[in-house]
Amino acid sequence: HNWMSADSAKAAAEGRLDPYMTGVGDGDTRIDALQFWGSVSGEMLREWGLPKDQVPDPAREYDCEVWLIDNTVIRAVINPDDLGRKPYAAASYEQVPGMFWGNSVVDLVADCQDACNGAARALMNNMGIGSGPQVSVNMQRLADGEKITQMYPWKIWQTKSDPFGSTAPAIDFFQPNSNAAELMGVYEKFSVLADEYSGIPRYMTGDSAVGGAGRTASGMSMLMSNAGKTIKQVISNVDGRVLEPCLERLYYNNMIDSSADTDLKRGDLYIVASGARSLVAKEQAQLRRNEYLQLVLQSPIAQQVIGMEGAAELLREGAKGLDMPVDRVVPPVEVLKQRWMAQAQQQMQMQPQVGGGQQLADGTPVTNTAQPLTS
């Protein structure tokens, strides 16, 4: 138990006592083992008990899995993956080509964080120095027994005359300059740079002090949408660096395993995790659809061209993108046609008769039978 050096660092980070000092606690009977995936020379694998048929060349490096407890290897097997892949997958906020570990938000803003911390320390020191006056005392002119380490309101200072005849005061007070405004400007500048480097602007967390386009609802929506692209890129890293490798290993295992279902053995498949990309595509399509709908609603000519059926279809597609009950929000075309026919009949009934309401003696309305002129 607790034989790895990382245990002490982990315990310190978690606020626990050093396991080397306390030993095994809480009745934990588990044994700590270190699992290693990587290349090992054939000579070492033979020393650990692997047969020669699995390790024919002692000078060759083999991809294998090794378990270590203290100084003893309890398990050493050749990597069962024919392509030598390791069963690990990781994604970072920012990927670094060729490296397992990437950059986190802390790594991206490390320089800005150091500058902000330095400005904050200088600000606190300046605030302390400039919080009150400082005193310059001529020790030769102070009376015997006068304490210069104590200063309080209404204190009486006992001084002597200057033996050289100087008229300068024995005690001089001066106020150090306060550079709080300049230091706060430095802090704010690097704080804004941290937002740019990390891709997470402060208005994403609810900061309302946004100028420019952020002063309007539509402008803020555009800023939020653009800022969300960084988060979607991070999600895309998870798709490409975690989900795709895991699904590929599962797919190849099904292809190689003879006991797997024959319906799973298809050689024309390629794993593509398109979760984040599909979200971005749907969002962009929804934005373009809303812009087109606004154009149609604001243009009478466009309404005449596409008709009420086309406008209803646009509204229906927009409701789908908002996860709304489409059939309850936008009725089907058949229902809309019935409504339009009923409205047309009602308008025809409400229109005045062509004859101006004149009637014959028997009550028959007078109708105009004249034909319209044509050019």
Side-chain angles (χ1 to χ4, degrees):
H1 300 275
N2 303 320
W3 58 270
M4 290 181 286
S5 60
D7 293 333
S8 298
K10 181 180 178 182
E14 295 176 352
R16 297 184 290 106
L17 296 176
D18 191 343
Y20 285 102
M21 303 298 295
T22 59
V24 182
D26 299 332
D28 192 358
T29 58
R30 295 176 296 178
I31 301 175
D32 297 335
L34 186 63
Q35 185 184 29
F36 170 78
W37 290 83
S39 60
V40 181
S41 65
E43 183 179 0
M44 296 183 65
L45 292 176
R46 286 187 178 183
E47 293 178 359
W48 294 340
L50 266 70
K52 293 183 179 180
D53 56 346
Q54 296 185 12
V55 188
D57 187 359
R60 177 186 169 186
E61 295 285 331
Y62 295 89
D63 289 326
C64 55
E65 174 194 1
V66 181
W67 287 29
L68 176 69
I69 298 179
D70 199 7
N71 293 323
T72 304
V73 174
I74 66 169
R75 172 183 170 87
V77 295
I78 302 297
N79 189 350
D81 194 308
D82 296 336
L83 301 179
R85 294 172 299 186
K86 303 174 180 61
Y88 294 102
S92 303
Y93 190 85
E94 182 186 62
Q95 299 296 148
V96 177
M99 294 185 62
F100 185 80
W101 304 107
N103 293 327
S104 65
V105 177
V106 178
D107 298 326
L108 297 177
V109 301
D111 296 337
C112 295
Q113 183 180 13
D114 293 339
C116 289
N117 290 338
R121 287 192 296 267
L123 176 62
M124 298 303 295
N125 294 333
N126 183 254
M127 289 172 57
I129 294 176
S131 61
Q134 295 194 7
V135 186
S136 174
V137 181
N138 188 348
M139 298 294 296
Q140 296 179 354
R141 298 188 56 185
L142 290 180
D144 297 337
E146 188 71 29
K147 295 182 180 180
I148 64 173
T149 58
Q150 296 181 358
M151 187 173 63
Y152 48 85
W154 298 92
K155 181 178 181 179
I156 300 176
W157 297 86
Q158 303 181 46
T159 61
K160 302 176 183 178
S161 61
D162 192 347
F164 299 99
S166 175
T167 60
I171 302 173
D172 185 20
F173 293 86
F174 62 94
Q175 177 65 42
N177 295 328
S178 175
N179 301 322
E182 291 79 2
L183 293 174
M184 284 299 299
V186 173
Y187 185 92
E188 290 293 334
K189 178 62 176 178
F190 282 96
S191 178
V192 173
L193 288 178
D195 294 344
E196 296 180 2
Y197 293 164
S198 64
I200 308 176
R202 60 187 63 187
Y203 55 78
M204 290 283 289
T205 58
D207 186 4
S208 59
V210 183
R215 293 178 298 177
T216 61
S218 59
M220 177 61 72
S221 177
M222 294 174 60
L223 292 177
M224 295 284 286
S225 178
N226 292 331
K229 293 180 181 178
T230 303
I231 306 300
K232 293 183 177 64
Q233 180 62 39
V234 177
I235 301 175
S236 179
N237 293 338
V238 177
D239 290 341
R241 300 295 294 267
V242 176
L243 297 180
E244 285 187 3
C246 295
L247 295 176
E248 284 180 357
R249 286 196 295 269
L250 177 61
Y251 169 69
Y252 285 119
N253 288 336
N254 291 333
M255 292 290 294
I256 296 174
D257 188 7
S258 60
S259 61
D261 190 356
T262 55
D263 294 336
L264 301 177
K265 295 181 178 295
R266 298 181 180 273
D268 56 348
L269 298 181
Y270 182 75
I271 305 299
V272 176
S274 59
R277 289 190 291 270
S278 63
L279 289 177
V280 174
K282 289 181 180 179
E283 182 177 358
Q284 293 298 323
Q286 184 67 21
L287 291 176
R288 303 288 84 81
R289 191 180 296 114
N290 292 338
E291 293 176 358
Y292 185 70
L293 180 59
Q294 292 296 328
L295 174 63
V296 171
L297 295 179
Q298 297 175 2
S299 175
I301 299 178
Q303 295 179 12
Q304 294 177 4
V305 172
I306 68 173
M308 298 299 291
E309 293 84 356
E313 191 64 28
L314 288 177
L315 293 174
R316 187 174 292 104
E317 292 297 327
K320 289 181 182 178
L322 299 175
D323 294 334
M324 300 174 63
V326 181
D327 295 335
R328 288 187 292 175
V329 175
V330 183
V333 179
E334 294 76 9
V335 177
L336 294 176
K337 289 182 177 180
Q338 294 177 2
R339 292 182 180 178
W340 298 332
M341 293 178 62
Q343 293 177 1
Q345 294 177 359
Q346 184 178 4
Q347 292 178 359
M348 292 178 60
Q349 294 176 0
M350 294 176 62
Q351 289 180 354
Q353 296 178 354
V354 181
Q358 298 180 2
Q359 297 181 356
L360 299 177
D362 58 354
T364 304
V366 177
T367 59
N368 189 359
T369 58
Q371 298 295 329
L373 297 178
T374 59
S375 59

